[in-house]
Amino acid sequence: MAFWLSRINRVGGVNPMSQASVLKNIPQVEKLLASCLSEPTLQDHPRSRLLKAIRLTLAELRADVLADRLLAIPEEPALLALIKAQDQALSRNRLRPVINATGIILHTNLGRAPLAAEALDWVAKTSRSYCSLEYDPATGQRTDRLKRCAALLTELTGAEDAFAVNNNAAALFLLTLALAKGQGVVVSRGELVEIGGSFRLRDIILEAGVTLIEVGATNQTRLADYEKALANPEAKLILKAHASNFRQTGYVGQVEIGPLAKLAHAHDRPLIVDLGSGTLTDLTGFGLIDEIPVKKALELGADVVSFSGDKLLGGPQAGLMVGRKALISQLKRQPLARAVRLDKMALAALEATLLLGQEPETAQKTPIYQMLNATDQELRQKALKLKDFLGAPLGLNLDLIQVESQTGGGSGPEIGLASWAVSLANQNINIALLEENSRAQEIPIVARVNRDRLLLDVRTIAEEEFPDLKKGLQAAWRQLVGPDSWPESAQAREPKVVAPEPVLLETSPAPSLLETKVAPPEIAAPEKVAPEIPEPSPAPPLSLVQPEEEAPLLASLEDLEPESVLLETSPEPSPLETKSAPPEIPTPSPVQPEEETPLLAGLEDLEPESVLLETSPELTLAPPEIARPEIPEPSLDQPIPEAPLLAGLEDLEPESVLLETSPEPSPETSIEADWLNDQELNFEHDFDLFAANIDANIDEDPAGTLVDNFSDGLNDFIDDQIERRFDGGPDLNFDPHLDPQLDPSSLPDLDLDPWPNLFPDKG
C-alpha cells in the first residue's frame, strides 16, 4: 500500500490530514530514551547525548513527513538504528586523532607539527596535578610564567630577551600596538599578503591603531622606497613580513634584511622581521633556502624577530618574539599581553621542545625533523613495509610510486620533497568514494587522490599508525565492495582455484544412488546389448597393510585422456568397485547401518592421495587390463535387492538414468499445466497494466478518494483480465464430461475455479 501511496503522492499530492495522522505516530522522546537505555550498545552512552540524538532524529522525521518524503513512521527497531547513527555522529564531532597520509608535513588543518614524545610526557606530568607555573620553589615567591622559556629562547637564538604569546598573529598585533600605536608602520606592498582563513596582514596592523605606510609596487620594492617613506615623521618602524604561501616569479625584487636594517638604524627606527614559520637551524639542505634561521636574522640587524612555535620549531602553537631587551620590555608591559598569554600546557610543551633543540642529536627527536631528514631509501623501505602490511584487498591494486611531499605551513611552497607512496586503484570504482569513506572512519584517514589513485605518502605516516590505517581502509573498502573484499590477514591472498567435480561418490555433497535407503521404482531393463567382458583375473584385496598394491591399480588410469577420466562419473562400475564389491549383496538391515553402502567399502581402504589421483588428467603410466565381472540384469518378476538393482543401473547411459528418474507428465495433465505456466509468465506484465489502470482512474478523477480510485482500477483490471485470458484459453463453461464423443475417465480432473487461473501462485 505504501507503494501506491507514493505513486498517488507524485501524481496528485497528499492530503494534509494524512500528514497529520502520520505525525501523530511519532513516538515520545521519553519512550525512545527508555528504549535506548535498555539497549546494551547504548545504555553506557551519556544521557544528554542520547537525548540530543533522539531529538535530532525526530526532527528529521518530521521534516521528511512534511516534505512528502516519508509516508509512515518506521517501527521502533528502525528508529533505534537511526538514533544509533545520530549518536555515533555526535560522538565523532569532537577533536580526535587523524592519520595524515597527504605528505604535507605542516598541515595547518591537521594541527601542524606533531609534538615529540618528550613534550607529550612533560605536558602529561605537569597537567595531571599542580605545577610551578608562576611559583619559584627556591624562593617561595611568585615568578614570571615565561621565565624558563625566555631563558631557553635567548640561549638558542643569541637574543637579549624573549617573549611569547598564543600565536604569531597575536605577536604581530602586540608588536605594532606596543611600538607604534597612533603612528605609522612602513611595509612593502609585495608583503601585504593574505594567508589561510582570510587572514590579511593589513587588517591586523590597522586593528592595532596604527597608520599603514605602503611602499614600492606589488612586484618591486627598492631600498629608496623605504628611505623616502622614513622621511615621513609618522613612520615609527619598518616591518618586513614573511610572504608565507605567496610567491612571485619574473621581474620581482624585495630588499633583504641586512640593507634594510642599516637604513632603519640610520634613521633611528627599529626593524621588525616576521619570519612566519621560523627555524632555529639551517634548512638549506632540505631545499628550504628562503627560510632564514632566527639567529641569522638577528645577526643581520633585525631588532625583533617573531615566528610560530608549531611550524618548523616542532612545538605547540605559540607566537615567539626575540630581540632587543628594551623593545621586549615594552611588549611585557602592554596590558593586552595578558589576554594573549600562553597556558600551562602550551608552556610545558614549548619548554620540552626547546630543551630538545639545545643539542643537534636531541633536536632530531622531534617528528618534524624526522620527516624532513628521511632519506629516499628509508621512505621506500617504509612504503614497502606498509604495502605488505595492508595485504591483498580483492579488486584493489596496491603499487609503490614516487611522489613529492610538501613542507607546508607557508614554508617553501614551491619546493617539493621526493618521497614514496602506496597507490590504491580500481578501474571500475571511483576512487574518490574510497577517499570519502576513509575520512568517515573512527580515526579519519586524510590522503590525496591523483589520476584515479588514492596515494598514501609514507613521509607523514608513523609506523605505529599502520594498524589504524589498515583498519580504516578495510572498513572504507568493505563499505564499497562487500564484507569479504579485504581479508584480515596481512599476507597476500592466494587466488581461488576452482577444482573439477570429484570422481568418487563419497566426496560429492549431493546424496548418491548408493547411499539412498528407499527402494527405487521398478525400471525396465535397458534395451542395449551389454559388451562382452572377459572373466576377471583375481586381484589381491585392498588392505592398509599392503599400500604398495595400490599403485598398479591406480596406474591404470594414468594414461587415460581427460575425457575418459570424466566417464568415471557414469553409473558404470569402476575398477575399484569390482575389486571390493561382491556380485550379490544382501539388502541392508536398519540394525546394521555399517552395511548400507557395501559398494563403497572397497574405497575406504584407499589412501586419500591415491583416490584424488583419479581426477588428474596428467598421469602417464600405462594401465593394465582389468576385466569386469558379469553383472546380472535385473528382473521385473521379483523384488530386486537394493544394491543389485543399483548395480544394474551402472550400464545405463547418464541420459537414460536421468530420463528414468523423472517421469514425463501425461498429455492430459500438460494441457492445463502449459496454459497456466503461460499465464504466470505474463503476470508481471499484467501487474503493470493493473498499475496503469489505477493511474488512469486517478487522472480521470483527481479529486476522488484513494479507496475509490484503487477500487475502480482493480475492477477495470479484472474485466481486462477475464476478457483477455478467457478469450483463447480453456473454455471454463465447457464440461468435457458431457461430450458423448469423449471418454470421461480419460480426462483429468481440471480445477474449473477461474480465480487460481487468474492469479496463479500470487496469493
Side-chain angles (χ1 to χ4, degrees), residues 348-360:
L350 178 60
E351 181 180 339
T353 304
L354 293 174
L355 285 171
L356 291 175
Q358 287 181 313
E359 299 294 336

Side-chain angles (χ1 to χ4, degrees), residues 398-703:
L398 273 62
D399 298 300
L400 295 187
I401 62 170
Q402 289 183 299
V403 295
E404 278 194 351
S405 303
Q406 294 289 330
T407 306
S411 305
E414 76 285 359
I415 299 173
L417 306 174
S419 183
W420 285 87
V422 178
S423 167
L424 287 73
N426 181 283
Q427 297 180 352
N428 301 320
I429 295 179
N430 186 0
I431 209 66
L433 298 176
L434 177 60
E435 187 271 339
E436 181 180 351
N437 287 356
S438 301
R439 288 185 282 107
Q441 301 306 312
E442 184 68 26
I443 299 180
I445 301 169
V446 184
R448 288 185 289 165
V449 175
N450 180 270
R451 296 182 180 179
D452 297 327
R453 295 176 299 183
L454 186 67
L455 303 181
L456 307 175
D457 193 328
V458 297
R459 184 184 290 272
T460 53
I461 304 174
E463 290 193 16
E464 54 265 25
E465 294 177 317
F466 283 6
D468 291 330
L469 176 63
K470 179 179 179 179
K471 180 180 178 181
L473 289 174
Q474 278 182 329
W477 183 245
R478 287 168 178 172
Q479 290 172 3
L480 289 176
V481 182
D484 299 328
S485 59
W486 196 315
E488 291 294 338
S489 174
Q491 301 299 325
R493 170 179 283 190
E494 295 294 336
K496 290 186 177 180
V497 179
V498 180
E501 296 261 335
V503 173
L504 296 180
L505 292 176
E506 63 249 47
T507 61
S508 175
S512 65
L513 292 176
L514 296 177
E515 295 171 338
T516 181
K517 297 182 181 180
V518 182
E522 295 183 0
I523 302 174
E527 297 182 0
K528 73 171 186 177
V529 179
E532 294 184 3
I533 302 175
E535 190 70 17
S537 59
L542 294 176
S543 173
L544 295 177
V545 185
Q546 297 175 345
E548 63 277 6
E549 298 296 335
E550 295 173 4
L553 173 61
L554 295 175
S556 63
L557 302 177
E558 293 175 350
D559 280 343
L560 295 180
E561 295 295 329
E563 294 79 2
S564 62
V565 175
L566 293 178
L567 290 177
E568 292 291 331
T569 59
S570 66
E572 295 183 1
S574 65
L576 296 178
E577 293 170 343
T578 60
K579 293 180 63 178
S580 59
E584 293 185 5
I585 301 173
T587 303
S589 173
V591 185
Q592 300 176 347
E594 65 275 4
E595 297 182 4
E596 288 179 2
T597 54
L599 289 180
L600 296 177
L603 303 179
E604 295 173 351
D605 291 338
L606 293 178
E607 294 293 333
E609 294 78 2
S610 62
V611 175
L612 294 178
L613 286 175
E614 291 190 20
T615 61
S616 174
E618 301 177 359
L619 303 177
T620 57
L621 296 179
E625 295 184 0
I626 300 177
R628 302 176 184 269
E630 274 190 36
I631 300 174
E633 295 184 356
S635 173
L636 300 178
D637 298 332
Q638 57 183 359
I640 303 174
E642 193 173 284
L645 173 61
L646 295 176
L649 297 178
E650 293 174 352
D651 288 338
L652 296 178
E653 294 295 332
E655 295 79 2
S656 62
V657 174
L658 293 176
L659 290 176
E660 292 293 335
T661 56
S662 56
E664 296 182 0
S666 63
E668 295 84 4
T669 306
S670 62
I671 296 174
E672 182 186 18
D674 293 342
W675 181 76
L676 292 179
N677 289 336
D678 293 339
Q679 305 312 307
E680 185 170 0
L681 290 176
N682 293 327
F683 181 78
E684 296 298 335
H685 173 69
D686 295 338
F687 194 80
D688 292 337
L689 295 178
F690 183 23
N693 287 333
I694 293 181
D695 289 340
N697 280 278
I698 293 174
D699 295 334
E700 293 175 4
D701 187 15

Side-chain angles (χ1 to χ4, degrees), residues 110-145:
L110 303 183
R112 293 180 179 166
L115 294 177
E118 291 80 1
L120 292 173
D121 293 341
W122 195 240
V123 170
K125 289 180 180 179
T126 55
S127 302
R128 188 177 294 113
S129 61
Y130 300 102
C131 64
S132 58
L133 179 62
E134 294 182 355
Y135 179 78
D136 186 357
T139 63
Q141 302 295 320
R142 181 172 180 170
T143 186
D144 182 9
R145 66 170 56 198

